[in-house]
Amino acid sequence: MKVSAAQPFQIIYSLYQHEYLGYIFESFIVHLDEKGKLTYQHQNISSKNAREFSKGLDARDFELIEMMDSMNQDAVLKHFSKKIMKPDEFFSKVFNKEKGDEMLQEQIEAYMEKRRAQVLDKLKGKMLFEMGNDGEPTWRKLEVLETRATIQFHFKRSEENTNYYPTISHNGKRVEIPSPNAYLICKLPAWMVFNGKLYGFEKFVDGKKLQPFLNKKHVVIPKNLEETYYNRFVAPLIASFDEIEAHGFEIAKHEHDPHPLLTISELPTANEKTVPTLFGQDGEGAESTDD
């Protein structure tokens, strides 16, 4: 349904989950009623028609619209496929569970994650909604929090196993996870929706390390897997976070100043007989350019 730029309107951003591409943002213009409230009259807005509504947009809106244009399935298809194909045909082939292209899947995911992170970083002060299953862009409002959350990981080691879990805090209050109302929009870095609020984090958080705790209170590391798990996961996690609480073991951090080392050595003399020349050995095969 078309919205007139001559009448009151509001730009809003809507979030939905694509079957193959994960979470995607779209931009919409929504007509306002006489009381200034959002109505069900809306239309999609892109870089092609954004100038029509420039009086209600700021510079950041134009940036967001352009970013979101690059996330839609047609733009992703055009970026990754040289052939002219329909989106359903392309994505169902690439993401086929048995014969899919895993390398291309990873490239597409990295492409989408980069743009999700860029969009999320610019949404402060904007109106964000979850899209309904019927395509209604203003189905449920999400509050974009002004300040970032903090996260702390806790490790408790006993003779039998190690338990570890994170605690998330925002403005001094604990965010109670696990919860069925929590989900990650982006993993690199982590951005989380919980109870209608969008949380970013003060420091970089790898969403893959947070994901398990959205539906379980803690992870248990059995004693027989302790050494492997500590080396592969716990040590890198501790190295990347300052806020770590540990019981049953001590954390010793060592910082070293790197020093550059330049080594100069003489290359061995090349064997002239094995060095290829442009026109063959001793000029053999060369054609004269003299008239």
Side-chain angles (χ1 to χ4, degrees), residues 43-201:
Q43 73 174 70
N44 189 272
I45 185 173
S46 68
S47 298
K48 294 180 180 179
N49 63 345
R51 292 294 170 187
E52 298 176 29
F53 301 92
S54 59
K55 68 178 182 180
L57 310 180
D58 60 23
R60 192 148 46 96
D61 288 315
F62 283 103
E63 290 179 14
L64 285 165
I65 291 168
E66 186 175 356
M67 291 176 190
M68 293 178 190
D69 284 350
S70 69
M71 296 180 74
N72 72 59
Q73 64 177 14
D74 292 328
V76 177
L77 169 61
K78 185 177 180 180
H79 184 83
F80 286 98
S81 177
K82 296 180 180 179
K83 298 180 180 179
I84 298 177
M85 303 174 67
K86 293 182 178 180
D88 287 344
E89 179 186 0
F90 173 75
F91 292 118
S92 62
K93 181 178 180 181
V94 172
F95 288 90
N96 185 282
K97 292 182 179 180
E98 296 179 357
K99 300 180 180 179
D101 188 332
E102 293 185 3
M103 183 176 294
L104 187 52
Q105 289 176 28
E106 292 177 0
Q107 292 174 358
I108 292 174
E109 175 60 18
Y111 174 95
M112 296 299 293
E113 277 285 84
K114 179 181 178 180
R115 283 152 181 79
R116 278 191 284 264
Q118 290 173 337
V119 168
L120 287 160
D121 201 43
K122 291 183 177 292
L123 281 177
K124 186 186 295 185
K126 301 300 181 182
M127 295 187 72
L128 178 65
F129 295 83
E130 289 177 335
M131 184 180 292
N133 293 331
D134 59 354
E136 171 55 46
T138 59
W139 176 62
R140 182 160 57 191
K141 188 174 183 179
L142 295 176
E143 180 184 355
V144 182
L145 297 175
E146 290 288 325
T147 56
R148 301 286 179 97
T150 59
I151 186 169
Q152 182 180 28
F153 277 90
H154 308 263
F155 292 85
K156 295 183 178 180
R157 185 183 183 217
S158 66
E159 294 181 359
E160 292 80 25
N161 53 47
T162 298
N163 280 305
Y164 80 94
Y165 59 92
T167 53
I168 298 173
S169 299
H170 181 259
N171 287 345
K173 296 182 179 179
R174 184 165 173 172
V175 179
E176 296 296 338
I177 59 170
S179 169
N181 298 321
Y183 62 92
L184 291 178
I185 297 176
C186 183
K187 293 185 176 69
L188 293 173
W191 284 83
M192 180 182 73
V193 170
F194 173 67
N195 282 350
K197 297 179 180 180
L198 175 63
Y199 291 85
F201 294 89

Side-chain angles (χ1 to χ4, degrees), residues 171-238:
N171 287 345
K173 296 182 179 179
R174 184 165 173 172
V175 179
E176 296 296 338
I177 59 170
S179 169
N181 298 321
Y183 62 92
L184 291 178
I185 297 176
C186 183
K187 293 185 176 69
L188 293 173
W191 284 83
M192 180 182 73
V193 170
F194 173 67
N195 282 350
K197 297 179 180 180
L198 175 63
Y199 291 85
F201 294 89
E202 288 184 0
K203 296 183 180 180
F204 178 89
V205 177
D206 184 346
K208 293 178 181 178
K209 294 179 173 62
L210 179 59
Q211 181 75 58
F213 303 101
L214 300 186
N215 51 35
K216 63 174 67 175
K217 285 190 175 182
H218 56 260
V219 169
V220 178
I221 307 170
K223 197 70 174 180
N224 62 323
L225 298 178
E226 188 177 86
E227 183 176 357
T228 300
Y229 208 90
Y230 269 60
N231 289 332
R232 292 185 179 181
F233 179 80
V234 177
L237 179 65
I238 290 174

